Amino acid sequence: MKHLLRALPLVVLVACGDGQVDVAEQQAEQRDSTAAPTVLDLSSHDVPLLLTPPDKQLTGGMDPTVIWKEESGVLEIRVGDHFGMQIMEEPGDLARLKADLERDLLKKNIVISETPELLIYRSEFPDDPSLVFVHFYQVRKAGDRTFVAQDVQDLRFNEQDIQRMVGSLGTRPPA
């Protein structure tokens, strides 16, 4: 019994450890939470595209919400207040969109950036300079199918948000 009482403090010290294991586990968890974002495969919604969601630091730790809107055939993806896009299968028509923007009598529309498959533009209400909206319209081909991605129209984004959304969408590699 005497030997057991002498060994008890040693057992307690060994059981408590020096805390380095706990610190290492916390650091590993932190590295995992700041690791590169996972890629979402949208093929479960019959959309053969990949989405790289924004970093959780930019979204307040929120995960993407993917909603299929059956009545309109739109796949909507939202993450926090600074990421919201809609994807629909349709032939993209940038020329028609630009013509519509030029004919718009309510808003002044300014093209910020344009490529054959992407249009980024700013819409301003002349009567209220605080009402400025930045939008994008992107055409993505996946095999023999064509999809249009654009920002959610009822949300307000800045140019950085739009650039983040435009860069987040990719095509799946062929099987």
Side-chain angles (χ1 to χ4, degrees), residues 46-68:
D46 195 32
V47 176
L49 298 173
L50 300 174
L51 177 87
T52 304
D55 189 4
K56 286 191 175 192
Q57 291 176 335
L58 300 170
T59 64
M62 296 179 72
D63 288 322
T65 304
V66 180
I67 300 168
W68 175 253

Side-chain angles (χ1 to χ4, degrees), residues 96-113:
R96 180 199 50 81
L97 175 62
K98 283 181 64 178
D100 289 347
L101 294 175
E102 289 173 8
R103 285 191 303 268
D104 191 342
L105 299 175
L106 182 62
K107 296 176 285 199
K108 177 182 174 188
N109 297 295
I110 302 164
V111 173
I112 298 171
S113 174

Side-chain angles (χ1 to χ4, degrees), residues 21-165:
V21 173
D22 294 334
V23 170
E25 287 175 358
Q26 288 174 349
Q27 288 175 345
E29 287 176 14
Q30 196 172 32
R31 275 193 307 273
D32 289 345
S33 68
T34 60
T38 58
V39 175
L40 295 177
D41 188 353
L42 302 175
S43 61
S44 62
H45 301 282
D46 195 32
V47 176
L49 298 173
L50 300 174
L51 177 87
T52 304
D55 189 4
K56 286 191 175 192
Q57 291 176 335
L58 300 170
T59 64
M62 296 179 72
D63 288 322
T65 304
V66 180
I67 300 168
W68 175 253
K69 295 186 173 187
E70 186 76 33
E71 66 280 353
S72 58
V74 173
L75 184 66
E76 186 171 288
I77 304 157
R78 292 188 187 210
V79 189
D81 295 332
H82 299 281
F83 191 100
M85 80 165 49
Q86 296 177 328
I87 302 170
M88 56 228 97
E89 186 168 6
E90 63 182 47
D93 193 350
L94 288 168
R96 180 199 50 81
L97 175 62
K98 283 181 64 178
D100 289 347
L101 294 175
E102 289 173 8
R103 285 191 303 268
D104 191 342
L105 299 175
L106 182 62
K107 296 176 285 199
K108 177 182 174 188
N109 297 295
I110 302 164
V111 173
I112 298 171
S113 174
E114 180 181 3
T115 66
E117 55 279 329
L118 173 68
L119 184 69
I120 299 175
Y121 61 99
R122 180 180 18 256
S123 294
E124 302 173 356
F125 287 89
D127 298 342
D128 190 351
S130 67
L131 290 176
V132 177
F133 298 88
V134 182
H135 302 287
F136 79 95
Y137 183 91
Q138 183 178 32
V139 179
R140 298 297 292 215
K141 292 199 179 283
D144 59 345
R145 297 170 68 187
T146 304
F147 295 88
V148 170
Q150 60 186 21
D151 57 290
V152 175
Q153 298 294 312
D154 62 339
L155 297 178
R156 197 167 181 179
F157 303 109
N158 61 34
E159 287 184 43
Q160 191 176 28
D161 297 336
I162 294 295
Q163 291 295 339
R164 195 173 295 119
M165 285 186 269

